[in-house]
Amino acid sequence: MTDTKRGITAEDLYQICYPSEPQLSPDGTKAVFVETKMDELRQYQSHIYLYSLEDNSKTALTSGPFRDSFPRWSPDGSKLCFVSNRSGKAQLWHLDVNETEFKQITNGPNGISSPVWSPDGRSIAFAAFLRTGQTLTEGTEELTEEATPKSITVDKMKYKSDDSGFVYEKNKQVAVVNIETGSVTQLTEGTYDHAVGSWSPDGKWLAITANRSVNPDIQHEIDIYLVPVEGGEWKKITNSDGTYAMPTFSKDGKKLAFIGSVADQHLYATMKKIWVAELDAGTVQCLTADWDVHVGDATIGDVRSPGHPNPGAVWTTDGQGMYVIASEKGSSGIYLVHLDGSVTKVVGGERNVYGFTFDNEKNSLVMAVSDSLTPGDLFHVDLNTETEKRLTDVNGELFQEIRLSTPEEIWYEGAEGWNIQGWILKPVGFQEGNTYPAILQIHGGPHSMYGHTFFHEFQLLAAQGYVVVYTNPRGSYGYGERFVQACCGDYGGNDYKDLMHAVDYVCQFDYVDETRLGVAGGSYGGFMTNWIIGQGNRFKAAVTDRSICNWISFYGVSDIGYYFSAEEIQANPFENPEKMWHHSPLRLVANMETPLLIMHGERDYRCPIEQAEQLYMTLRHRGKAPVSFIRFPGANHEMSRSGDPEQRVLRLQYTVDWFNQYV
């Protein structure tokens, strides 16, 4: 029988969709979720769907050319709130489940985020950016050319953000809106950023997080606070000794769980733990101090935007434990953390759980899951019977005509004898006896994790006839805290050797043509790509995305540069510039002879485009090997995952064309 399936294309990205943010109704019979896809105009749409667990039906609750997200059930299950840009800025909307009319609840000038219902269902807490003197009832800002300021005074170091743009005059505040009257009460103020956590069961307190230190530019601690909704004195739960987030009350209101880590020299390269505060006793305890696993989903993919709402620690009804997502060895699953510190794996497997919602009464959950061949779908798990049922197949029709390559897991010996995990994708249509070129892919972070999740770019390269190799060198999450911190101060050292050992390992296979190798990566992966081609000419071609080439200038231009450099390079320009220069690929330009494609977003504030400009200009001025520079106007650091759809497809096409030309 003839196989009529084809390999995946760059343009297939326009048709891939994924579900996220599942939320079970209070009675456990229904779930709402968000489905994101691109429309015929190649623009994103996110719509809210209702899934009945009783008759397995799926109904669209919202539609149109809008981005709807963050659906949340009212406590009695009769209503939903959600965030939508259907009136312009992202505002809070209200929907009666039995009706079809929407009601806009907020009209904040800069939009709102993160709604949380009060226990009595009368109010909703949310967060919103506000300029000094702005209120949440004055209507949205119109950003016209006439309204653009002629000058901007910058008086703080954290004045821009790759996520939120320029925030030099804005801070995130927490407020509560009455859904019947629309009246808004702002609970926080000042030049601090605040985030919503959860309501106490009696509705009197709101748990929030904030950095309210004397100098937030330098002091990065984030604390947990209890704020009285009716006014009064705040209660500070943590002691400004770490970064804590997502506080959730136990069912009896006597405990507060949250996720975080104690601050030391590592702000990024520290495993997130589960903490519990006994509110009456005033004590705080780390439950997972001895569990060397990162709490949270650290898995990198390229079809879902990062930053999905994390459910945090979800309490059991009896208050004796919490369900959380955690990441280890290329997988993320659901774990039950008991109050005695013991941990039980609830949902495992070689896959990426990126969201879930729990039904305490039925002891069941609905989760959002991706694996190596599935961008994302929803599954129902009955923990009583340990049975699992797939609820959606959102890409089934598309993938019926596409042949994908199934990754093969590898473990190999890296630098210093360390065991390193990775994967090999063979070319689509692979035939024994043939040889194929290979591409080494390097993830960003560096504190993230490749794993058992769908990666469109990798499948595209496999469809083009390449062997794709991707690994988790030291610095990656998933293998313990010593492993994740091992690259700090040693960028281009043993992490580089881990990657080169991966190349050595795969080149033993007779189907890999070791004379035709390529290398690619973004962010830290872009840094490492630059570093690799500065070491020699092993690779025929390289593609570097949103990369870093000069740590000295990065310090002053990145939105995180001045403190990221201190942790990751363990140097700064005024005390030890020699070390910063030592780790800078720009220093190695004289050795670079590999054809290099440089791609960068012009609105990237994480790794600003001046990094690409320096590398390109220096290579061209020295008359080195072929180099090309592609700029993406308006694109930020997340362009390859959540950027303009047409720019994402162009980037993939440029990548394939470069490797096809030179490898």
Side-chain angles (χ1 to χ4, degrees):
M1 182 174 175
T2 303
D3 185 356
T4 59
K5 289 188 176 183
R6 59 175 177 82
I8 205 166
T9 67
E11 291 81 2
D12 284 327
L13 183 66
Y14 293 135
Q15 299 185 63
I16 294 175
C17 59
Y18 63 89
S20 62
E21 301 185 57
Q23 296 289 311
L24 277 164
S25 60
D27 64 5
T29 63
K30 299 178 287 293
V32 289
F33 64 95
V34 176
E35 191 172 293
T36 301
K37 58 185 177 181
M38 301 173 199
D39 62 20
E40 61 276 5
L41 300 177
R42 298 177 178 177
Q43 298 297 316
Y44 293 107
Q45 289 185 1
S46 297
H47 299 143
I48 298 171
Y49 286 82
L50 177 70
Y51 190 96
S52 170
L53 296 172
E54 294 179 318
D55 60 16
N56 299 315
S57 62
K58 173 183 169 184
T59 306
L61 297 181
T62 67
S63 61
F66 309 116
R67 300 294 299 271
D68 303 322
S69 64
F70 232 110
R72 294 296 183 267
W73 293 95
S74 62
D76 65 2
S78 66
K79 304 177 183 66
L80 284 170
C81 72
F82 61 99
V83 177
S84 177
N85 67 349
R86 58 188 55 240
S87 64
K89 297 282 180 70
Q91 302 290 351
L92 184 62
W93 290 71
H94 170 273
L95 167 68
D96 189 305
V97 176
N98 297 317
E99 299 178 4
T100 58
E101 294 297 320
F102 309 141
K103 176 183 177 184
Q104 184 174 340
I105 300 176
T106 65
N107 196 32
N110 306 300
I112 71 98
S113 63
S114 309
V116 183
W117 283 92
S118 63
D120 62 9
R122 296 179 180 177
S123 302
I124 299 172
F126 62 92
F129 274 112
L130 290 177
R131 299 182 189 275
T132 302
Q134 277 187 324
T135 69
L136 284 160
T137 57
E138 62 188 54
T140 56
E141 290 185 331
E142 294 295 333
L143 298 179
T144 63
E145 184 176 347
E146 293 76 14
T148 302
K150 301 298 183 183
S151 64
I152 295 171
T153 300
V154 175
D155 58 5
K156 60 182 180 181
M157 298 172 77
K158 294 180 180 177
Y159 69 93
K160 62 181 178 180
S161 161
D162 191 72
D163 296 325
S164 306
F166 284 100
V167 291
Y168 51 89
E169 291 179 345
K170 297 177 185 175
N171 286 101
K172 185 172 285 189
Q173 308 296 351
V174 172
V176 173
V177 60
N178 183 293
I179 64 168
E180 294 299 328
T181 67
S183 62
V184 178
T185 302
Q186 187 173 322
L187 299 183
T188 67
E189 59 183 13
T191 56
Y192 311 103
D193 290 324
H194 309 80
V196 180
S198 66
W199 293 78
S200 62
D202 61 9
K204 295 180 179 180
W205 299 88
L206 193 65
I208 71 166
T209 62
N211 179 349
R212 294 176 65 90
S213 60
V214 175
N215 187 353
D217 282 336
I218 302 298
Q219 298 167 271
H220 304 294
E221 297 80 14
I222 298 177
D223 284 298
I224 308 291
Y225 295 88
L226 298 186
V227 178
V229 178
E230 298 298 327
E233 186 176 349
W234 292 20
K235 295 181 181 179
K236 187 177 180 183
I237 303 302
T238 51
N239 195 33
S240 301
D241 59 354
T243 56
Y244 305 105
M246 293 169 283
T248 55
F249 279 95
S250 60
K251 304 299 180 183
D252 61 7
K254 295 181 178 180
K255 301 181 183 69
L256 193 69
F258 44 93
I259 297 173
S261 58
V262 172
D264 56 14
Q265 63 174 329
H266 297 290
L267 184 61
Y268 292 95
T270 301
M271 310 289 276
K272 298 301 180 186
K273 305 289 186 180
I274 297 293
W275 303 74
V276 170
E278 295 278 356
L279 298 179
D280 291 339
T283 60
V284 175
Q285 177 189 5
C286 180
L287 295 187
T288 56
D290 298 326
W291 190 39
D292 201 16
V293 172
H294 175 71
V295 175
D297 175 21
T299 318
I300 287 183
D302 67 345
V303 295
R304 299 190 314 275
S305 59
H308 284 282
N310 189 326
V314 179
W315 284 92
T316 59
T317 302
D318 61 9
Q320 296 303 302
M322 294 134 280
Y323 293 96
V324 298
I325 294 176
S327 302
E328 56 179 337
K329 297 179 180 177
S331 297
S332 59
I334 301 174
Y335 298 75
L336 176 59
V337 178
H338 306 272
L339 286 181
D340 63 5
S342 61
V343 180
T344 304
K345 183 181 287 188
V346 176
V347 176
E350 294 183 342
R351 51 187 173 178
N352 169 208
V353 178
Y354 58 91
F356 76 95
T357 175
F358 186 69
D359 182 348
N360 272 299
E361 299 302 322
K362 292 183 171 63
N363 197 32
S364 63
L365 58 89
V366 171
M367 58 184 183
V369 180
S370 173
D371 60 34
S372 299
L373 303 178
T374 309
D377 273 306
L378 298 184
F379 291 77
H380 179 266
V381 180
D382 187 325
L383 298 179
N384 299 305
T385 60
E386 297 184 352
T387 57
E388 186 175 307
K389 176 184 177 182
R390 185 172 185 165
L391 303 182
T392 65
D393 187 11
V394 297
N395 294 292
E397 183 176 350
L398 171 64
F399 282 11
Q400 281 182 357
E401 63 185 62
I402 294 174
R403 186 165 16 147
L404 300 174
S405 178
T406 301
E408 299 175 11
E409 183 179 320
I410 59 173
W411 286 87
Y412 64 93
E413 185 176 296
E416 303 177 312
W418 288 24
N419 287 327
I420 307 296
Q421 185 183 25
W423 294 265
I424 297 174
L425 267 184
K426 289 179 179 177
V428 171
F430 173 84
Q431 294 183 352
E432 293 287 351
N434 290 351
T435 59
Y436 301 89
I439 307 295
L440 173 68
Q441 286 276 359
I442 309 169
H443 69 60
H447 312 301
S448 55
M449 182 180 78
Y450 279 146
H452 301 285
T453 197
F454 186 81
F455 223 110
H456 176 228
E457 180 175 341
F458 297 174
Q459 293 289 346
L460 174 62
L461 289 169
Q464 291 287 317
Y466 294 98
V467 175
V468 183
V469 183
Y470 52 108
T471 76
N472 286 328
R474 66 196 64 207
S476 306
Y477 276 130
Y479 311 91
E481 193 155 278
R482 180 189 176 210
F483 194 94
V484 79
Q485 294 178 355
C487 70
C488 295
D490 189 38
Y491 274 37
N494 282 328
D495 51 354
Y496 160 74
K497 294 177 183 177
D498 287 344
L499 292 163
M500 292 304 98
H501 281 288
V503 178
D504 294 338
Y505 180 86
V506 299
C507 283
Q508 346 177 47
F509 298 118
D510 56 10
Y511 59 82
V512 173
D513 184 349
E514 62 180 317
T515 69
R516 300 173 63 200
L517 302 176
V519 60
S523 196
Y524 165 85
F527 153 81
M528 187 57 73
T529 298
N530 299 338
W531 184 266
I532 285 172
I533 66 172
Q535 306 300 314
N537 303 320
R538 187 172 189 179
F539 295 87
K540 289 290 187 182
V543 176
T544 186
D545 266 299
R546 57 195 189 282
S547 71
I548 299 167
C549 74
N550 184 349
W551 289 105
I552 295 176
S553 64
F554 176 85
Y555 169 92
V557 296
S558 168
D559 62 345
I560 62 173
Y562 67 97
Y563 54 93
F564 186 88
S565 299
E567 173 180 342
E568 299 294 323
I569 305 302
Q570 298 183 355
N572 59 56
F574 42 86
E575 290 180 339
N576 38 10
E578 304 85 3
K579 182 169 176 57
M580 301 191 85
W581 185 240
H582 170 75
H583 293 285
S584 296
L586 194 64
R587 176 179 64 84
L588 306 172
V589 162
N591 303 330
M592 295 182 183
E593 298 179 358
T594 305
L596 179 65
L597 173 62
I598 303 169
M599 293 190 286
H600 218 109
E602 291 187 348
R603 214 225 70 178
D604 189 332
Y605 298 150
R606 185 61 39 83
C607 297
I609 197 169
E610 61 88 28
Q611 295 284 312
E613 292 169 336
Q614 288 186 66
L615 184 59
Y616 173 73
M617 292 299 289
T618 307
L619 286 168
R620 286 301 298 264
H621 190 222
R622 292 185 60 86
K624 303 301 291 184
V627 57
S628 183
F629 181 21
I630 308 295
R631 303 169 66 102
F632 292 98
N636 71 356
H637 198 63
E638 296 301 323
M639 189 267 283
S640 66
R641 291 170 286 217
S642 60
D644 176 85
E646 291 186 343
Q647 288 183 327
R648 292 174 66 186
V649 169
L650 278 172
R651 173 192 162 274
L652 292 169
Q653 292 170 335
Y654 285 131
T655 299
V656 167
D657 290 346
W658 191 260
F659 283 135
N660 286 347
Q661 180 177 358
Y662 290 105
V663 176

